[in-house]
Amino acid sequence: MEKILNFERAEFDARVAAVKTEMAKRGIDIFLVSEPPNLNYLTGYNAYSFYTPQMAIVALKHAEPIFVTRFMDTTSAKITTYLADDNIRGIPDEYMNSTTLSAYDFMAGVVKELGGEKAKIGVEMGGYYYSARAHADLVRALPLANFVDADLLVNWIRLVKSQAELSFMRQAGCVADAMVERAVDIAEPGVRECDVAAAVYHQQISGTPEFGGSYDSSCLHLCVGERALAPHSAWTDKPLPASTIINFEVHGLRHRYQVNLSRTISIGKPSPAYQKFSEIAIEALNAGLESVRPGRTCSEVFGAFSQVLARHGIQKNERIGYPTGIGYPPSVAERTASLRKGDKTVLQPGMCFHMMTGLWLDDRSITITQPFAVTEGGHEDLTTTPRILFVK
């Protein structure tokens, strides 16, 4: 059976070693990893099975993680991970959606096998895929263990990307560029919103001539007319009017690495006031980008952006950026640093962010954004789409 691995074994070993180092600092013996991006990061696992119980069990005294998933998905684990077959365990089907059995009893059995019956066990309490039922069942099955919250332990390690990861981020950026180009090309008066969305999704999966794309961790945001005053609206089947504003966000994917990119299209000539508004938004975005360099804090980047807005009497209280990387539903953000006031996270080369500087005011909005990677001397744009207001 051919393996599908996107990284060298040495890179996976380094990731696991970094996690174990942090576990040892916290006195954690065994770490139950449940978040799909973290499972992918540590093992390479990639299959749409995260809606069922699955975990990577990382033990200080066990060389490789043990991946536990539904039995029918063990084939995907054998294909997409570097793990030895003995370290891939299948949960019998009778545990799935059962009213009498818990898949976490099966996982607890693996923990006991690793000598973890009385261990200090870390779990991702804030994870999207670690439910209250999962925690309750594990605590019941391992009553002598000491459970501690290790949420974001892997996420903070993932924050700094390797050169191999950055290569995939650049490719994902190329897909995002192609998606924006497609949206701008097709958006015309009379074209249904759903047909614009369909064309963008086709481009997302098709990718570029060099490499294909994939499904994203979110849906396409296509905010038209009054719905452009909200940041996360979906499309309708209404035709585009002769004069309107479209805010949209696309998500380019390459081997699960996701780059987000937003732009605004004016259908019909914008008013002079709106054109000026777009110029202010772009000026602020550029100021934020120009302030990016290693050693600066996220808060300082936010400050550089905000100073431009303040000169024009505009205030944005929300964060202007979040870290991106491996993307699985429901969120691409790594839930760690934010480009906002008060965040003292220090920028390091290899960190990747979506500088999401969208402005949603009472009567107007605009979304011209830029994904970037922190470099030794500043930043690298991960996309090449011009930072302009598109007018059709």
Side-chain angles (χ1 to χ4, degrees):
M1 186 175 295
E2 182 182 359
K3 290 277 190 180
I4 303 174
L5 294 174
N6 298 318
F7 299 96
E8 298 293 331
R9 173 63 186 264
E11 178 145 349
F12 285 115
D13 288 344
R15 295 172 181 181
V16 173
V19 168
K20 287 185 175 181
T21 296
E22 184 60 28
M23 288 169 58
K25 288 180 182 177
R26 303 186 190 189
I28 295 173
D29 304 302
I30 292 176
F31 184 19
L32 306 182
V33 182
S34 55
E35 284 294 274
N38 294 340
L39 298 177
N40 177 274
Y41 182 75
L42 293 177
T43 71
Y45 183 75
N46 183 28
Y48 204 97
S49 58
F50 41 83
Y51 60 92
T52 62
Q54 60 181 22
M55 285 183 170
I57 302 177
V58 182
L60 289 181
K61 296 181 179 180
H62 196 269
E64 289 185 356
I66 295 180
F67 192 82
V68 186
T69 187
R70 183 172 58 169
F71 181 78
M72 69 170 58
D73 293 308
T74 57
T75 301
S76 292
K78 292 174 182 178
I79 293 173
T80 64
T81 79
Y82 62 88
L83 301 174
D85 286 356
D86 287 347
N87 292 325
I88 298 172
R89 309 293 177 84
I91 305 171
D93 191 69
E94 56 263 30
Y95 284 88
M96 296 296 134
N97 300 317
S98 172
T99 59
T100 58
L101 298 174
S102 171
Y104 297 97
D105 284 331
F106 184 92
M107 294 181 187
V110 179
V111 171
K112 292 176 182 178
E113 176 187 325
L114 293 169
E117 193 166 2
K118 298 180 180 180
K120 185 174 182 180
I121 300 175
V123 292
E124 296 177 306
M125 292 292 287
Y128 296 113
Y129 296 94
Y130 188 70
S131 67
R133 174 61 58 82
H135 188 69
D137 286 354
L138 284 167
V139 170
R140 174 187 50 76
L142 296 164
L144 301 180
N146 175 22
F147 284 85
V148 297
D149 186 10
D151 192 34
L152 303 183
L153 187 155
V154 181
N155 302 52
W156 281 106
I157 294 170
R158 283 171 45 209
L159 186 56
V160 177
K161 309 294 183 292
S162 69
Q163 288 303 312
E165 290 179 290
L166 288 172
S167 177
F168 290 149
M169 292 294 284
R170 295 183 187 103
Q171 293 173 14
C174 291
V175 176
D177 282 327
M179 294 169 70
V180 170
E181 182 178 3
R182 184 69 177 123
V184 174
D185 284 346
I186 196 173
E188 298 282 355
V191 176
R192 295 186 303 171
E193 295 178 21
C194 54
D195 292 327
V196 176
V200 173
Y201 270 120
H202 179 273
Q203 193 68 59
Q204 174 181 313
I205 305 304
S206 179
T208 73
E210 293 76 24
F211 37 77
S214 184
Y215 69 91
D216 53 350
S217 68
S218 179
C219 68
L220 169 71
H221 304 315
L222 190 65
C223 314
V224 182
E226 290 185 349
R227 298 196 327 278
L229 296 176
H232 301 124
S233 293
W235 58 89
T236 72
D237 61 358
K238 295 180 180 178
L240 295 174
S243 178
T244 194
I245 292 295
I246 304 172
N247 291 334
F248 66 102
E249 179 177 290
V250 303
H251 312 119
L253 273 292
R254 181 62 171 164
H255 295 316
R256 298 315 318 158
Y257 283 81
Q258 180 167 317
V259 167
N260 295 8
L261 179 64
S262 293
R263 284 296 182 269
T264 296
I265 303 172
S266 174
I267 302 294
K269 185 177 180 180
S271 68
Y274 191 84
Q275 183 65 47
K276 177 62 176 177
F277 180 52
S278 72
E279 293 168 1
I280 294 170
I282 295 166
E283 180 187 357
L285 170 60
N286 289 338
L289 289 168
E290 290 165 5
S291 73
V292 171
R293 58 182 49 88
R296 288 249 172 108
T297 66
C298 290
S299 185
E300 288 175 313
V301 174
F302 179 87
F305 167 85
S306 297
Q307 286 176 7
V308 174
L309 291 189
R311 291 202 303 268
H312 298 280
I314 300 174
Q315 183 176 354
K316 179 177 172 68
N317 296 319
E318 302 85 5
R319 67 181 180 178
I320 63 163
Y322 49 83
T324 59
I326 302 171
Y328 282 91
S331 174
V332 67
E334 293 176 337
R335 298 195 296 127
T336 50
S338 288
L339 301 177
R340 63 179 162 207
K341 183 178 180 180
D343 191 319
K344 302 301 183 183
T345 303
V346 176
L347 299 180
Q348 301 177 49
M351 291 182 176
C352 295
F353 289 87
H354 179 208
M355 189 172 280
M356 207 316 153
T357 48
L359 297 174
W360 294 274
L361 308 183
D362 291 338
D363 58 348
R364 61 196 189 280
S365 64
I366 193 163
T367 56
I368 300 175
T369 72
Q370 184 60 54
F372 69 90
V374 181
T375 65
E376 295 289 347
H379 81 280
E380 173 191 352
D381 293 336
L382 293 173
T383 57
T384 60
T385 298
R387 294 194 286 271
I388 60 173
L389 170 66
F390 288 97
V391 178
K392 295 295 296 286

